Amino acid sequence: MTDPFRTDAPPGRPVLVVIEHDPADRRIGEHLRKRYGGDYDVADEQSCADGLARLHALREQEVPVALVLCDRGPAGRRPDGSLAVGGRAAGATTADAAIGTAVDEFFGHVKAMYPEAKRALVVDWGAWADRATADSILQLIAVGKIDYYALRPWRAPDEFFHRTVTEFLLEWERAASMAPREVTVVGEHWSARAHELRSLLVRNGVQHTFHASDTPAGQAALQAAGLPAGIAQPVVLLRDGRVLVDPTNAQVADAYGVSTQLGDDTEFDVIIVGAGPAGLAAAVYASSEGLRTLVIERESIGGQAGSSSLIRNYLGFARGISGADLAQRAYQQAWVFGTTFLLMRELVSIETEGEWHIVTANDGERARARTVVLATGVSYRRIGVPALERFEGAGVFYGASVSEARALTGEDVFVVGGGNSAGQAAMYLSRYARSVTLLVRGASLAESMSQYLIDSIDAAGIRVCLRTEVVDGGGDGRLVWIGLRDRGTGAMRRERAGGLFVLIGALPHTEWLPERIERDQWGYLFTGPDVMESHAVSRWPLRRQPLMLETCVPGVFAAGDVRRRSVKRVASAVGEGSVVIQQVHEVLSGHSPTTASARPGAGPAQP
């Protein structure tokens, strides 16, 4: 029987390409062959020209390249032994400058040929102390030519070197490998529902393979599963043989091993609503401190941040980390401490009875706790162009939709938005798309985007159209063109578009909350001092002041983006999620103690 999990993987094993300019020093290739030779082939060349020739040959043979390492070579050294990286430095020869230029151009070609391959400049230990070397590394990272640098191994085994390599290979395997996955999705290529399922899996950190139903691989998978080749609904196939035809989100979540049912235990110390950065941080701190904790999430682990392709300014991740990966790490950390998770369940009400707050889900399931943390975050605003509504999932996407990037190879792609999420999406899409254009309503990116992203966008050649908005669009079954309007002059124009990614601000998810939990005109929740300075003060029932993150209902807190005046950054949400638990303890200390034994819920989905 045909294996439904077969792929269209090209022949040959993945290759690790190494450029070592010194013919007398081949240590990098030796280290790689010894450690990874069982699973990867190693191509070791002595110049950038030879390396490019090898890469061209590999591409013609459709052989995947996982990692490219390149050093500067002895010609790039100054008389004192330091590296002459980039332009000519004092004491450097013409050959020095040529080597630097060749390496810079080499990485640019590698990025174009193998956009998913991980790329690193190899330097000796301590080279970062040389200003020219450091500047060159930073510049190469900023323009996206390399992912990071790697330190040349100097002993055997050099586990520091191998940690860098294995992290690179894990990132490549997750993003680009065509190896069979535990989950396979088969559906029409531009099906909105198939897109929703794929996005759900990506945002929850579940690795999967997608086959369009009209491709040989898709038809073979359907045949092996006993399904007709012309089936219109999307199909989810699991490695253990289960077949789900047009499943609900909850059924998919159950299939990959997370809890969508609460069970008999319905009483907790704290209920956290939302599993974005704020909610996950709150769960980690609450459970680690002995509180019986329940997290309820209606969509996916990580919230809006989970769709970010790369977060480079989060503390501790020098190379950056995807939002989905960061969220999965936090999820597993909370689970290990004993947090109970209830996923794919939307709450419809929250009531207070005495010292208890009771939440009710849309299926009628209820749970209660003495404290509640609202960390529901925000959702991207709809673009509000009627002509584009029918193309959602078929060329129009809300959020970064990392799952769709590869499918847009060679297309002209537009990103709407001026914030960090829009900038990250544009940079990620530039790996695949023929062109990427960032559409911004405002007069400047500097008003809402971090400078490192602005620099990267400029260096990557991404077109930025300021004072521009989308007003129309069309196509036959999928998006083909969009209509743009210059907000300054009113001039209209039409441009060809294979994809439109919308990241245009946010709306807080608070419409389900009762009227007694006060919010501002945009729906953001009043907390702490804002409660006492607004009309919400009339609803505050206690003599004490509300705590900093407490809403106008005692014992009900808000953390992260859903809170009025919050800083819309991942690190800020994590900070508020950790701080709020101290305030939860203050409220709980006024009540009789509860049992603090931590009990795990369903096991975490494995990446």
Side-chain angles (χ1 to χ4, degrees):
M1 178 178 290
T2 303
D3 182 1
F5 291 87
R6 79 173 194 180
T7 71
D8 292 325
R13 301 191 305 172
V15 178
L16 313 181
V17 177
V18 184
I19 312 300
E20 297 180 274
H21 289 89
D22 185 355
D25 187 354
R26 321 300 295 166
R27 75 179 90 165
I28 301 176
E30 293 173 1
H31 278 255
L32 293 178
R33 288 189 184 90
K34 184 176 181 180
R35 181 67 64 93
Y36 309 101
D39 299 306
Y40 298 87
D41 289 330
V42 178
D44 196 350
E45 302 292 346
Q46 296 183 23
S47 71
C48 292
D50 291 341
L52 283 178
R54 175 65 70 96
L55 287 166
H56 279 294
L58 292 172
R59 189 172 65 165
E60 289 179 1
Q61 299 167 26
E62 297 185 324
V63 176
V65 172
L67 174 66
V68 179
L69 300 176
C70 180
D71 68 10
R72 289 285 176 169
R77 296 183 186 276
R78 294 187 180 88
D80 63 0
S82 63
L83 291 179
V85 185
R88 289 185 68 178
T93 67
T94 302
D96 296 333
I99 284 287
T101 302
V103 170
D104 294 348
E105 293 177 350
F106 168 76
F107 279 120
H109 288 301
V110 175
K111 179 182 178 182
M113 283 191 291
Y114 284 97
E116 290 169 327
K118 309 308 291 185
R119 305 174 300 276
L121 177 71
V122 177
V123 299
D124 291 325
W125 189 90
W128 51 82
D130 175 66
R131 187 67 261 172
T133 302
D135 288 345
S136 183
I137 292 172
L138 297 177
Q139 177 65 15
L140 288 170
I141 292 174
V143 300
K145 289 186 177 180
I146 64 173
D147 295 283
Y148 207 57
Y149 66 89
L151 296 181
R152 188 190 307 273
W154 62 276
R155 58 188 175 86
D158 189 329
E159 298 301 342
F160 192 86
F161 169 76
H162 288 298
R163 185 182 74 173
T164 302
V165 172
T166 53
E167 287 178 353
F168 275 140
L169 294 179
L170 174 60
E171 292 167 8
W172 173 82
E173 196 276 338
R174 285 182 166 182
S177 172
M178 295 298 291
R181 309 285 192 182
E182 287 75 10
V183 178
T184 296
V185 178
V186 182
E188 296 178 355
H189 188 86
W190 297 110
S191 160
R193 179 57 184 156
H195 159 71
E196 184 180 357
L197 288 172
R198 295 163 63 192
S199 180
L200 177 75
L201 292 169
V202 168
R203 294 175 65 187
N204 280 285
V206 179
Q207 300 299 299
H208 72 282
T209 300
F210 173 74
H211 296 310
S213 54
D214 59 354
T215 63
Q219 292 172 0
L222 292 173
Q223 181 182 7
L227 297 172
I231 189 169
Q233 301 97 328
V235 177
V236 176
L237 308 173
L238 289 102
R239 192 66 180 170
D240 60 11
R242 283 176 290 170
V243 178
L244 307 178
V245 178
D246 196 18
T248 65
N249 290 357
Q251 288 172 329
V252 174
D254 281 329
Y256 62 72
V258 299
S259 177
T260 61
Q261 299 292 330
L262 189 55
D264 297 330
D265 299 313
T266 60
E267 188 172 300
F268 299 88
D269 294 318
V270 58
I271 293 174
I272 300 167
V273 186
L280 291 171
V284 168
Y285 279 86
S287 294
S288 68
E289 294 171 14
L291 299 181
R292 296 185 62 192
T293 305
L294 170 66
V295 175
I296 303 175
E297 169 56 48
R298 64 176 181 143
E299 291 182 352
S300 59
I301 298 295
Q304 185 179 351
S307 65
S308 294
S309 56
L310 185 68
I311 303 171
R312 277 193 55 204
N313 59 352
Y314 189 75
L315 185 67
F317 293 91
R319 293 205 316 273
I321 184 171
S322 73
D325 192 11
L326 181 64
Q328 279 300 306
R329 294 186 186 205
Y331 165 52
Q332 293 172 14
Q333 187 177 16
W335 179 81
V336 166
F337 280 125
T339 299
T340 298
F341 284 88
L342 179 62
L343 303 182
M344 307 300 164
R345 284 292 179 268
E346 186 163 7
L347 296 184
V348 295
S349 70
I350 177 171
E351 304 168 304
T352 301
E353 295 181 3
E355 63 181 11
W356 294 98
H357 301 291
I358 302 167
V359 297
T360 303
N362 54 2
D363 63 350
E365 200 164 25
R366 308 180 85 197
R368 69 175 191 168
R370 300 189 197 287
T371 57
V372 172
V373 176
L374 300 172
T376 50
V378 294
S379 300
Y380 288 113
R381 294 179 186 270
R382 310 292 294 185
I383 196 167
V385 177
L388 295 174
E389 292 302 318
R390 64 191 178 98
F391 297 110
E392 184 173 355
V396 176
F397 309 103
Y398 286 89
S401 291
V402 172
S403 61
E404 301 296 338
R406 191 184 300 175
L408 293 168
T409 298
E411 299 272 8
D412 298 309
V413 176
F414 293 78
V415 178
V416 186
N420 276 7
S421 294
Q424 290 159 358
M427 288 297 298
Y428 186 76
L429 289 164
S430 68
R431 299 184 185 182
Y432 307 93
R434 178 171 62 183
S435 69
V436 177
T437 301
L438 192 61
L439 304 174
V440 184
R441 288 171 55 89
S444 170
L445 282 176
E447 298 173 2
S448 54
M449 187 179 292
S450 296
Q451 188 61 46
Y452 82 88
L453 267 175
I454 297 174
D455 294 340
S456 297
I457 286 169
D458 179 62
I462 294 171
R463 182 171 60 144
V464 179
C465 295
L466 302 174
R467 300 186 182 91
T468 304
E469 58 187 353
V470 182
V471 296
D472 199 2
D476 184 12
R478 62 160 292 189
L479 184 70
V480 173
W481 61 270
I482 58 174
L484 303 177
R485 184 175 76 88
D486 187 306
R487 301 187 72 217
T489 65
M492 305 285 292
R493 69 181 188 274
R494 177 185 290 195
E495 296 202 21
R496 184 174 182 83
L500 179 71
F501 292 80
V502 182
L503 303 94
I504 53 172
L507 290 171
H509 178 48
T510 57
E511 68 279 358
W512 64 279
L513 293 173
E515 182 182 346
R516 64 195 178 91
I517 299 182
E518 291 279 358
R519 63 215 84 172
D520 66 15
Q521 58 183 319
W522 298 283
Y524 294 96
L525 300 177
F526 288 116
T527 56
D530 282 345
V531 170
M532 305 308 291
E533 295 172 5
S534 68
H535 58 276
V537 66
S538 62
R539 297 184 183 237
W540 180 251
L542 303 181
R543 296 182 64 181
R544 69 167 175 85
Q545 297 280 309
L547 299 173
M548 181 178 66
L549 298 176
E550 197 170 19
T551 70
C552 61
V553 176
V556 177
F557 299 85
D561 290 357
V562 73
R563 190 178 66 84
R564 184 171 185 257
R565 299 180 191 270
S566 65
V567 178
K568 305 301 187 286
R569 289 288 188 270
V570 173
S572 299
V574 170
E576 289 190 11
S578 59
V579 168
V580 75
I581 298 307
Q582 178 186 3
Q583 298 172 36
V584 165
H585 277 297
E586 291 185 41
V587 171
L588 292 176
S589 66
H591 300 283
S592 56
T594 59
T595 302
S597 59
R599 298 169 297 100
Q606 294 301 310

